[in-house]
Amino acid sequence: MALFGALFLALLAGAQAELPGCKIRITSKALELVKQEGLRFLEQELETITIPDVRGREGHFYYNISEVKVMELQLTSSELHFQPEQELMLQINNGSLGLRFRRQLLYWFFYDGGYINASAEGVSIHTALQLSRDPTGRIKVSNVSCQASVSRMHAAFGGTFKKVYEFLSTFITSGMRFLLNQQICPVLYHAGTVLLNSLLDTVPVRSAVDELVGIDYSLVKDPVASASSLDMEFRGAFFPLAEGNWSLHNRAVEPQLPEEERMVYVAFSEFFFDSAMESYFQAGALKLSLVGAKVPHDLDMLLRATYFGNIILLSPAVINSPLKLELRVTAPPRCTIKPSGTTISVTASVTIALVPPDQPEVKLSSMTMDARLSAKMALQGKVLRTQLDLRRFRIYSNQSALESLALIPLQTPLKTMLQIGVMPMLNERTWRGVQIPLPEGIDFVREVVTNHAGFLTIGADLHFAKGLREVIEKNRPSNTGDPLAPSAPPPSMAAV
């Protein structure tokens, strides 16, 4: 009985779990590139460390060390890797810091002062970033754990009191090493929870695509790390802006990401594209009306000849009225993704009428159009673009088979009109594309699109179009100047 209850609860949880329309996998192959950019950023952050003055007295000697500044940082041995539960681990061993500070010494009535260079060696930093989904569905650095230590320091004292400084150097460098140990982890905590989160704030979550439709990229669950990759699952659903709470139930096949050869993979299910087309349908955008001179001349003559029997019975004032051709999609188009390619099925009504000035329009005929479009996806930078091509087309009458036969002469000119007049307008919009959920400054390069049954995947490499520091400075919150602000943990908890 207990087993049956557990099975029932598992099935219930599975039924309630929201399927993602978009997935992204970052593989370990991307970490070397990320590490290079991240270490540059980390070096710049650690150079902002401020160390309090070191004051003391030994016998009749009074000393003061002030204006300590980090001049350079060398991180010779470092490793960045994924780790289950912790998400992202950074280990730095045997690093070194170059320091410069002001020295002051007072012995009875004798005073000595000046600036001196020092080095901190054996710098070791082990830090882990934990990533999670915040209440808005955005990916965030939710926690930073850190252990940092400096094993030894050396200061090259000189001048009249060189021997005295050498005597006091143990006290001075030990104090500086202790203070330096206390400063490293708060800087890293601030860099992770504040500065890196400002970078993640540039990832679109719920934003407008154009004046009609928006896209929802909120995470459906926390990111999942393995030893070789980090997987993120996004809702990946479009919605009409006029109906912000509108949603489409995802019944599509869940996209899969089995590969790890490239730096990053993105997968889109049929639901991703279906929600886009249904959103535009709900927004009333899938219709087209051509009146008068906008109807191609040859098609205008053919339509008038086809319906000559209807037109001749009308009053003279109506016979020569402008012709109107209206296409209106009657149901949301549907996307089908197969290994052989991606197709979009469209059903629309075609209405032909005369539009006399200052009078109600006179309907000549109404027919149904079935069309099948092929779709080719491309990912450029961080924009997913689509190129459409009309493959199959037919029109038929809902009234009678005889009328459908009479429409056969219209098949070719109507298809030509769609290819010349309608498809360029569609492609102009679809080629503008939609941004995928990547931070500012990071783009995809060398993309390869692969179709599967019910979803498609795009494998690519990453490219930093902007430096990490440049993007963070642009989006830096206004109140993050102090790394030891309340957002940072006490140094005793951060540094070891």
Side-chain angles (χ1 to χ4, degrees), residues 304 310-321 354 356 359-360 362:
R304 290 180 185 274
N310 296 23
I311 296 174
I312 199 66
L313 299 176
L314 302 175
S315 65
V318 175
I319 290 177
N320 294 320
S321 299
L354 292 175
Q359 295 184 45
V362 179

Side-chain angles (χ1 to χ4, degrees), residues 160-442:
T160 305
F161 289 88
K162 177 180 179 181
K163 295 295 183 182
V164 176
Y165 283 120
E166 290 177 351
F167 169 73
L168 297 175
S169 64
T170 301
F171 303 102
I172 295 173
T173 57
S174 295
M176 290 180 61
R177 184 166 65 88
F178 174 80
L179 292 173
L180 189 58
N181 281 340
Q182 297 292 302
Q183 299 299 312
I184 292 176
C185 280
V187 168
L188 294 181
Y189 187 88
H190 177 265
T193 59
V194 178
L195 300 183
L196 284 184
N197 275 334
S198 71
L199 173 69
L200 295 177
D201 283 342
T202 66
V203 178
V205 174
R206 192 175 174 89
S207 57
V209 176
D210 53 27
E211 68 281 1
L212 297 174
V213 166
I215 180 72
D216 185 348
Y217 277 129
S218 54
L219 286 168
V220 298
K221 65 178 185 179
D222 288 340
V224 177
S226 68
S228 58
S229 64
L230 177 71
D231 289 352
M232 295 166 284
E233 298 185 357
F234 301 88
R235 179 168 289 121
F238 291 78
F239 60 92
L241 292 177
E243 305 174 51
N245 295 324
W246 178 88
S247 63
L248 179 66
H249 185 62
N250 186 353
R251 296 184 176 88
V253 174
E254 182 176 354
Q256 303 297 320
L257 290 170
E259 299 173 289
E260 295 184 357
E261 286 75 20
R262 305 294 297 275
M263 289 186 181
V264 64
Y265 289 89
V266 188
F268 300 98
S269 72
E270 292 174 345
F271 168 78
F272 180 86
F273 303 101
D274 284 347
S275 69
M277 293 181 290
E278 180 134 355
S279 296
Y280 281 105
F281 177 79
Q282 295 289 340
L286 302 185
K287 58 184 178 181
L288 175 68
S289 182
L290 302 176
V291 181
K294 291 186 177 181
V295 179
H297 179 68
D298 292 345
L299 181 60
D300 183 290
M301 294 179 60
L302 180 60
L303 290 173
R304 290 180 185 274
T306 301
Y307 297 102
F308 179 77
N310 296 23
I311 296 174
I312 199 66
L313 299 176
L314 302 175
S315 65
V318 175
I319 290 177
N320 294 320
S321 299
L323 192 72
K324 176 182 178 182
L325 178 64
E326 183 180 79
L327 287 80
R328 182 183 297 268
V329 175
T330 55
R334 286 292 174 254
C335 173
T336 302
I337 302 176
K338 296 180 179 180
S340 57
T342 302
T343 59
I344 296 173
S345 300
V346 184
T347 300
S349 66
V350 181
T351 301
I352 301 167
L354 292 175
V355 188
D358 303 323
Q359 295 184 45
E361 65 180 48
V362 179
K363 181 178 176 181
L364 298 178
S365 179
S366 179
M367 63 194 82
T368 300
M369 177 191 78
D370 284 341
R372 181 167 296 181
L373 313 177
S374 66
K376 292 184 178 180
M377 314 302 174
L379 189 56
Q380 297 182 352
K382 58 169 65 70
V383 178
L384 178 67
R385 306 180 191 274
T386 304
Q387 179 75 31
L388 300 175
D389 188 22
L390 181 61
R391 291 300 185 187
R392 293 178 58 185
F393 171 86
R394 74 183 185 103
I395 53 173
Y396 58 92
S397 172
N398 291 324
Q399 305 299 321
S400 68
L402 186 61
E403 187 174 355
S404 296
L405 289 173
L407 295 176
I408 292 177
L410 295 178
Q411 296 267 7
T412 301
L414 281 176
K415 184 177 181 180
T416 302
M417 182 209 70
L418 291 174
Q419 290 174 324
I420 296 176
V422 177
M423 296 305 298
M425 290 189 294
L426 284 177
N427 280 320
E428 189 277 329
R429 173 61 197 90
T430 59
W431 196 248
R432 274 186 270 162
V434 60
Q435 183 178 340
I436 63 170
L438 273 184
E440 181 181 344
I442 301 177

Side-chain angles (χ1 to χ4, degrees), residues 342 376-379 384 447-452 456-459:
T342 302
K376 292 184 178 180
M377 314 302 174
L379 189 56
L384 178 67
E447 311 87 353
V448 176
V449 181
T450 305
N451 278 38
H452 305 271
L456 61 85
T457 60
I458 303 175

Side-chain angles (χ1 to χ4, degrees), residues 66-81:
S66 60
E67 301 178 26
V68 182
K69 293 183 180 180
V70 177
M71 304 304 294
E72 63 174 336
L73 176 65
Q74 293 185 354
L75 305 177
T76 55
S77 175
S78 60
E79 181 183 358
L80 182 65
H81 63 271

